[in-house]
Amino acid sequence: MRKVDKDLVQKPASLTLPELADLLKAIETDKNLINSDIYRGKIRNDDGTLHKEEVVEALEAIYNGKCAYCEDFTSTEIEHYRPKSRTMYFPKHGGYFWLCYEWSNLIPSCHGCNKSKSFEFPIKNQHVRLPDCYTDQVLDLEKCVARNTPLINEEPYLLHPEIDEPKEYLSFQIDEKKRGIALTGLDGSNKRGEETIRICNLNREELLRKRQEAVIFPILKHFKLAFSLLSKQTISKPQFIELIYAIFEDLEKEKHSNERPFTLLRKTIMESPQSFKSLITNQLPEAQQQFIQLSFESYFHSHF
Ligand SMILES: [Zn+2]
């Protein structure tokens, strides 16, 4: 997960339809009227065939085609951050149906994260109910925005990628069973990182492996190649050192690229000599570890 900027004013047109207020009023008495055509932003051709899905497209553009939770590339499912039809473990609550078309409640998700999260939405405080979002007996759309009062006062455990800074809550380590790279919660007793990992099942085996294959393996391969060129004397020692520094430079540039999967992992690797050591250096052949780690420390201290 990484922090994402979403413009809450420039919404897709299907979420600002004039008839939306009446449709939401009807949903207040019958949740079955929630229409996925609206929250996906479906626009049809004259013959009824699908022309495009403007909400899906807008979210894909904002999130670079990645799942908001696991940061893998995905075919986008629209996930309601606050579940729209029921809330797991709190059957009396009945879900946040009035937020079904709320832009700040719509998050792009892969099937795996969406399925795992399901209707789960644990919070620290009291659940907000429909009347809490009224002003003068009418639904107040400002009160439906995820970052506003009263919703923010629920203090959800699940991180919101448009509100929270995930790197304050999440870090990475080599999986204990060596299956790949695992996420860990950083925030101790606060538990938001840990809970987000649990709710979306962000340490499922497929993701452990994909993080390793997409991010770690290519880096290890670059170092391997540099050492091999040096040992064959294809390059001189000064050229070798230059090459190692060029690899660090590339990693530094790459961590800002949102077009690649797993941006938070790329950022974490470059965040400190300790994280570089635990995620990269320790996976190198022992004979190469000391040189690479010392080089990284010198690179890091000369840049930051
Ligand atoms: Zn996902």
Side-chain angles (χ1 to χ4, degrees), residues 22-62:
D22 289 340
L23 294 172
L24 283 168
K25 193 78 203 156
I27 287 167
E28 287 182 20
T29 48
D30 184 2
K31 281 186 278 182
N32 293 320
L33 295 172
I34 295 175
N35 184 347
S36 65
D37 278 12
I38 296 177
Y39 66 69
R40 292 188 68 89
K42 284 190 180 174
I43 297 174
R44 297 186 184 279
N45 297 314
D46 292 342
D47 63 359
T49 55
L50 188 65
H51 172 54
K52 64 175 193 169
E53 297 185 298
E54 61 171 7
V55 177
V56 173
E57 284 179 17
L59 288 174
E60 283 175 346
I62 294 165

Side-chain angles (χ1 to χ4, degrees), residues 67-72 74 109-114 200 202 204 207:
C67 169
Y69 298 121
C70 72
E71 275 207 88
D72 194 9
T74 180
S109 167
C110 72
H111 183 67
C113 291
N114 197 4
C200 298
L202 294 176
R204 50 189 190 268
L207 286 173

Side-chain angles (χ1 to χ4, degrees), residues 212-273:
Q212 175 87 338
E213 286 173 2
V215 181
I216 309 295
F217 282 169
I219 301 173
L220 300 179
K221 217 170 125 186
H222 282 128
F223 288 130
K224 191 181 169 189
L225 177 65
F227 276 101
S228 137
L229 292 173
L230 178 69
S231 72
K232 286 182 200 149
Q233 297 185 333
T234 314
I235 53 174
S236 64
K237 188 79 195 260
Q239 284 173 320
F240 167 73
I241 293 170
E242 227 172 83
L243 188 53
I244 296 296
Y245 275 75
I247 296 172
F248 296 148
E249 286 289 345
D250 282 347
L251 295 178
E252 183 57 30
K253 268 185 233 148
E254 212 175 69
K255 77 173 193 185
H256 299 292
S257 158
N258 290 322
E259 283 79 39
R260 290 163 177 263
F262 311 122
T263 305
L264 184 63
L265 172 56
R266 293 173 204 275
K267 283 193 169 140
T268 304
I269 289 169
M270 298 303 283
E271 201 158 74
S272 69

